[in-house]
Amino acid sequence: MNKTITIIKGDGIGPEIVTEAMKVIDAIGQKYRHQFIYQEVAAGGNAIDQYGTSLPKESLEKCLNCDSVLLGAVGGPKWDKTDPSIRPEKALLSIRSEMGLYANLRPAKLFPQLSEASPLKESIVNQGIDFVVVRELIGGVYFGKRSTTTENNELIARDEMSYSEHEIKRIAKIAFETARKRNKNVISVDKANVLDTSRLWRRVMEQTAKDYPDIQYTNMLVDNTAMQIVKCPSQFDVIVTENMFGDILSDEASMITGSIGMIPSSSLGNGTRGMYEPIHGSAPDIAGQNIANPIGTILSAAMMMKYSFDMARESENIEAAVHSVLNQGYRTTDIMSSGKIKVSCTEMGKLIIENL
Ligand code: NAD
């Protein structure tokens, strides 16, 4: 197969981790006789420096004309005071919305080799952590009207949150379809005791659940979910929720698995084309030191193969190689523990390729 991948290395550790992921993709291409063609584009802080915008037109066009996008991370303190209309993160919001990527899937899976890194008690961790947060990505309060005005001599800020039936229905379908490939359990998270958007969310979710009689379906309030994730994470299989709740809960979910550097994510829309990226940011504190963990990005490439390229075997090969390297005791600094062998970002990439 021939696949064109748009590459956004981004800022901070982005170039280091994406370079390792590209080497793994190339090795998979050689092993399984696929041709992966890269088109590298600028986005984020580096694009602001070069072009005065976080997302040059050509970069967006290449995202819209490819088989999938692989992203490192964008942003950093250098651009913290930049005008909000061109901030690095703005590039990601624009790409997601222009590509119609309304579903963000983040697996929260504990690597047994790293169970000590989880902040939860051993008795909880031993029950297993393996669920996916399906987050609505291009609606809700992050995309609503906003304003800051002066009224009665004080500042007042407003953010509008809205959801329409079709926006809820399409993410519901993604959640139920995802559950069909897993343990057939969906928990929809809302705040229906307070918010109108949540009451509509619940109504559409419950209607859609009727089309999936094979899936066990329940509702859970967001505050309770935040507690249940740390109290009994093994109860979850697929969590589906709106944009802001998903933003917060998926960070909580990734935290309990140990290292932020290990977790991939995918953003999908109606077709097979998606955007794949590790869940962490650009880690400016360790950028340029060759100590970043590239596994989250390498597993994002594995997700790309499974969900966008229909290459399940290739994807599983990458996942198995990551497990082998961890079993052999190799660790980057962020997941290092006593008795293990510390390796750099490039060494970790090389070891994963050797284990493919
Ligand atoms: P961060 O995820 O970049 O870093 C948090 C901590 O985790 C840091 O100590 C960092 O060194 C460590 N870390 C993160 N990824 C790691 C890896 N692969 N290997 C080893 N250690 C790793 O979060 P932050 O510090 O809050 O944000 C830094 C910048 O990244 C900000 O400008 C933020 O806006 C941006 N950001 C971008 C994205 C994205 O591009 N999708 C997401 C989140 C944050």
Side-chain angles (χ1 to χ4, degrees), residues 255-274:
M255 193 56 230
I256 61 169
T257 64
S259 170
I260 192 170
M262 304 285 299
I263 304 168
S265 79
S266 67
S267 302
L268 294 162
N270 280 335
T272 54
R273 189 185 59 196

Side-chain angles (χ1 to χ4, degrees), residues 13 73-76 89 92 260-261 277 280-286 292-293 334:
I13 59 169
V74 298
E89 298 78 9
L92 301 189
I260 192 170
E277 58 185 307
H280 58 75
S282 59
D285 53 336
I286 57 164
N293 186 344
D334 56 313

Side-chain angles (χ1 to χ4, degrees), residues 61-354:
E61 267 162 23
K62 292 224 161 103
C63 291
L64 295 172
N65 291 294
C66 68
D67 293 305
S68 269
V69 179
L70 182 67
L71 167 82
V74 298
K78 186 177 173 193
W79 303 281
D80 276 353
K81 293 203 171 72
T82 310
D83 177 351
S85 64
I86 55 161
R87 278 189 61 126
E89 298 78 9
K90 190 94 190 357
L92 301 189
L93 295 182
S94 302
I95 295 172
R96 287 169 187 158
S97 115
E98 292 289 328
M99 289 176 74
L101 306 176
Y102 56 80
N104 180 238
L105 273 68
R106 260 199 202 188
K109 189 171 176 174
L110 185 84
F111 284 82
Q113 303 93 333
L114 304 179
S115 58
E116 295 161 22
S118 171
L120 299 184
K121 279 188 199 147
E122 207 183 321
S123 58
I124 296 176
V125 169
N126 286 346
Q127 290 167 25
I129 303 174
D130 183 4
F131 61 94
V132 179
V133 179
V134 178
R135 165 188 168 195
E136 199 291 324
L137 202 57
I138 56 174
V141 72
Y142 293 176
F143 285 82
K145 271 193 226 144
R146 65 195 56 178
S147 66
T148 307
T149 52
T150 306
E151 288 172 31
N152 300 325
N153 286 328
E154 65 169 348
L155 287 171
I156 174 159
R158 292 188 176 85
D159 295 287
E160 185 184 280
M161 177 162 173
S162 72
Y163 268 107
S164 58
E165 282 180 272
H166 83 273
E167 286 175 308
I168 305 170
K169 179 97 187 168
R170 64 189 183 183
I171 190 81
K173 283 185 181 168
I174 297 258
F176 286 106
E177 296 293 338
T178 304
R180 269 199 174 144
K181 294 183 199 137
R182 297 178 44 94
N183 292 324
K184 300 191 167 46
N185 185 309
V186 170
I187 294 183
S188 168
V189 173
D190 61 39
K191 188 73 183 165
N193 52 344
V194 179
L195 301 174
D196 264 20
T197 43
S198 280
R199 283 191 273 273
L200 180 64
W201 180 276
R202 191 174 279 204
R203 184 163 10 131
V204 177
M205 282 286 161
E206 285 174 351
Q207 276 164 4
T208 314
K210 290 184 189 142
D211 300 334
Y212 296 86
D214 52 324
I215 308 290
Q216 199 187 338
Y217 172 82
T218 24
N219 299 304
M220 196 180 273
L221 292 173
V222 62
D223 34 2
N224 183 26
T225 311
M227 290 191 283
Q228 295 298 330
I229 286 177
V230 287
K231 193 172 161 223
C232 182
S234 61
Q235 70 186 289
F236 295 110
D237 178 29
V238 174
I239 290 177
V240 59
T241 191
E242 65 88 39
N243 203 345
M244 183 170 61
F245 297 161
D247 190 5
I248 298 165
L249 292 179
S250 59
D251 264 18
E252 185 191 9
S254 37
M255 193 56 230
I256 61 169
T257 64
S259 170
I260 192 170
M262 304 285 299
I263 304 168
S265 79
S266 67
S267 302
L268 294 162
N270 280 335
T272 54
R273 189 185 59 196
M275 178 156 86
Y276 295 83
E277 58 185 307
I279 60 145
H280 58 75
S282 59
D285 53 336
I286 57 164
Q289 298 175 37
N290 194 20
I291 58 168
N293 186 344
I295 294 179
T297 318
I298 289 169
L299 291 176
S300 299
M303 270 185 111
M304 176 188 287
M305 290 183 188
K306 186 182 279 174
Y307 292 109
S308 287
F309 300 166
D310 204 14
M311 296 180 186
R313 200 179 41 159
E314 291 79 342
S315 176
E316 279 152 25
N317 194 171
I318 298 174
E319 286 169 8
V322 169
H323 276 277
S324 303
V325 172
L326 294 175
N327 285 338
Q328 290 154 24
Y330 295 107
R331 304 282 188 271
T332 42
T333 311
D334 56 313
I335 51 172
M336 184 62 191
S337 58
S338 68
K340 304 298 177 200
I341 312 150
K342 199 196 273 190
V343 294
S344 66
C345 178
T346 44
E347 282 165 342
M348 180 55 89
K350 193 162 171 263
L351 283 162
I352 292 170
I353 291 169
E354 282 167 13

